[in-house]
Amino acid sequence: MCIRDRRKKAAKDPERQEQFQQVDEKQEEQKILMRAIRDMNIPKFVAEDIPLFNALFSDLFPSEDIPESQNIIIEEAIRNAFQAEKLQLHESMILKVIQLYDSKRTRHGNMLIGSALSGKSTCWKILSKALNSLNEGEQSKYAGVKTVNLNPKSINLNELFGFVDQNTMEWNEGVLSHLMADICKEESARERWMILDGPVDTLWIESLNTVLDDNKVLTLLNGDRISLPPQVGLIFEVDDLSTASPATVSRCGMVYLDINELGWRPYVDSWIEKFEDPFMKDFFFEMFDKWVPKLLKAKKVCKELVPVLETNAVISLCKLMDSVVSKENGITYTEKNKDENYYGRLEKWFTFCLLWSIGASVNEDGRKRLDYALRDVESIFPHQGTVYDYFISVDKGEWASWEEKLSTMWKPRAGIPFHKIMVPTVDTVSYTHLRAHETGRNLVCRLLLEKKK
């Protein structure tokens, strides 16, 4: 007998109707409980743990199937916000923004956890932009958002919460307490988020425990109390919770962003989209598929002088490529005659940038491994030495040895102290050459150059 037939039969019998209603209420209550357990735990897990959690969840509730909670209006606004910011519609990132929205509806204190470039800042920025856009259309249903940013580790504890000057016995207001008082005094329906972007440790976070629990009150050393209205919330951006206390963690909602889920592809896709020529787009998609994955795989077993995330290294590759492709180097993105010779020269510049972005941070043994990995993809490099021994000569358009740039007539300037004499070598010449191509914005090259000095 189907549920509809049961309802019809129960409608004729008041006693059966009451029993049927009790069963329905129990089922709904169980579904609400199941959804609460799932939706409050899934955001905390890394991608590898989610299948295990789902298996345990199915064992606990074998006969129930709870569909994913959907809010079509919010999801559409989030997608529009991504497109407005010219960002890729990555499904895992959209899911994290939705999870932050759900978490904020139940907690006024939330933590976005993940390494650099995992999308923590993008997550709350997109959500605030989506809510602001909805507020323009439906002010009664969706509140707008105002954000205030602060790095709590950029100042000391006294400057953060305020202190009493022992000489004058005057009260000096802290930065955090001042910002919090301002957003709490504001009389408006819009939400106010305080973004605390920095490590969470017991030195300063313990003072916020009364803010994060149900009291929602910040008590200062001078006796002032700042009460948080329902519109005010805190969002923490942290790399990990290694120094956080259990008391703080238990008070906050958690959303974990795994950088491996996002990866470096979305950034590359956005970078390639700037090209209007479809052939250029296809060329760079081919170059990234051909060279980058194999080089990153080979790099995993190498030791780095300066640890660099994969996404950061690929960002450096794109920025370095934009720096070297110029009229000074005899090649631009906007050339009219793009024949096979043009794309051949462009690939050489791409591999050169590949070396000094993704492959720039490894040690000497790592360079040998990457040299082998690059030659294994395609042998477009000179056979002698390693690929790091060569640059692209602008005059010839071919690979040339760094030793050609070393002057045989060099001698130190007169009167310079001995400890300040820097003898030109292949390394100094190569780093100076990169800096001459306006690669000061390239983090990897800048750090290596400073380390060399």
Coordinates of all heavy atoms in Angstrom, one line a residue, residues 13 53 55 78 123 125 135 261 279 329 334 343 350 421:
D13 N -10.5 7.2 9.5 CA -10.5 6.7 10.8 C -9.6 7.7 11.7 O -8.4 7.8 11.5 CB -9.8 5.3 10.8 CG -9.8 4.7 12.2 OD1 -10.2 5.4 13.2 OD2 -9.5 3.5 12.3
F53 N 33.0 8.9 6.0 CA 31.9 9.4 6.8 C 30.5 9.0 6.2 O 29.6 8.6 6.9 CB 32.0 10.9 6.9 CG 30.8 11.6 7.5 CD1 30.7 11.7 8.9 CD2 29.7 12.1 6.8 CE1 29.6 12.3 9.5 CE2 28.7 12.7 7.4 CZ 28.6 12.8 8.7
A55 N 29.9 6.3 4.5 CA 29.7 4.9 4.8 C 29.2 4.7 6.2 O 28.3 3.9 6.5 CB 31.0 4.1 4.6
I78 N 25.5 32.9 -6.1 CA 26.9 32.6 -5.9 C 27.6 32.4 -7.3 O 28.7 32.9 -7.5 CB 27.1 31.3 -5.1 CG1 26.7 31.7 -3.6 CG2 28.5 30.8 -5.1 CD1 26.6 30.4 -2.7
C123 N 36.1 32.6 -0.8 CA 34.9 32.0 -0.2 C 34.0 33.1 0.4 O 32.8 33.2 0.0 CB 35.3 30.9 0.8 SG 33.9 29.9 1.3
K125 N 34.3 36.4 0.3 CA 34.1 37.5 -0.6 C 32.9 37.3 -1.6 O 32.1 38.1 -1.8 CB 35.4 37.9 -1.3 CG 36.4 38.6 -0.5 CD 37.7 38.9 -1.3 CE 38.7 39.5 -0.4 NZ 40.0 39.8 -1.2
N135 N 20.2 41.2 -1.8 CA 19.6 42.3 -1.0 C 19.1 43.4 -1.9 O 18.1 44.1 -1.5 CB 20.7 42.8 -0.1 CG 20.2 44.1 0.7 OD1 20.6 45.2 0.4 ND2 19.3 43.8 1.7
E261 N 41.8 20.0 -3.8 CA 40.5 19.9 -4.5 C 40.4 21.1 -5.6 O 39.9 20.8 -6.7 CB 39.4 20.1 -3.5 CG 38.8 18.8 -3.0 CD 37.5 19.0 -2.2 OE1 37.6 19.4 -1.1 OE2 36.4 18.8 -2.8
F279 N 43.4 30.3 -31.4 CA 44.6 29.4 -31.6 C 45.6 29.6 -30.5 O 46.3 28.7 -30.1 CB 45.2 29.8 -33.0 CG 44.4 29.5 -34.2 CD1 43.7 30.4 -34.9 CD2 44.3 28.1 -34.6 CE1 42.9 30.1 -36.0 CE2 43.6 27.8 -35.7 CZ 42.9 28.8 -36.4
N329 N 62.0 41.4 -26.4 CA 62.5 40.0 -26.6 C 62.1 39.5 -28.0 O 62.3 38.3 -28.3 CB 61.9 39.0 -25.5 CG 62.6 39.3 -24.2 OD1 63.7 39.7 -24.1 ND2 61.9 39.0 -23.1
T334 N 50.4 39.6 -29.7 CA 49.5 40.2 -30.7 C 50.1 40.2 -32.1 O 49.7 40.9 -33.0 CB 49.2 41.6 -30.3 OG1 50.4 42.4 -30.1 CG2 48.4 41.6 -29.0
Y343 N 55.1 29.9 -33.1 CA 54.7 29.0 -32.0 C 55.9 28.2 -31.4 O 55.9 27.9 -30.3 CB 53.6 28.1 -32.4 CG 52.2 28.8 -32.5 CD1 51.6 29.0 -33.8 CD2 51.6 29.3 -31.4 CE1 50.4 29.7 -33.9 CE2 50.4 30.0 -31.5 CZ 49.8 30.1 -32.8 OH 48.6 30.8 -32.9
F350 N 58.1 29.6 -23.2 CA 57.3 28.9 -22.2 C 58.1 28.0 -21.3 O 58.0 27.9 -20.1 CB 56.2 28.1 -22.9 CG 55.2 27.5 -21.9 CD1 54.1 28.2 -21.4 CD2 55.3 26.2 -21.5 CE1 53.3 27.7 -20.4 CE2 54.5 25.6 -20.6 CZ 53.4 26.3 -20.1
I421 N 82.8 42.5 -2.3 CA 83.1 42.2 -3.7 C 82.2 41.0 -4.1 O 82.2 39.9 -3.4 CB 84.5 41.8 -3.9 CG1 85.4 43.0 -3.6 CG2 84.8 41.3 -5.3 CD1 86.9 42.8 -3.7

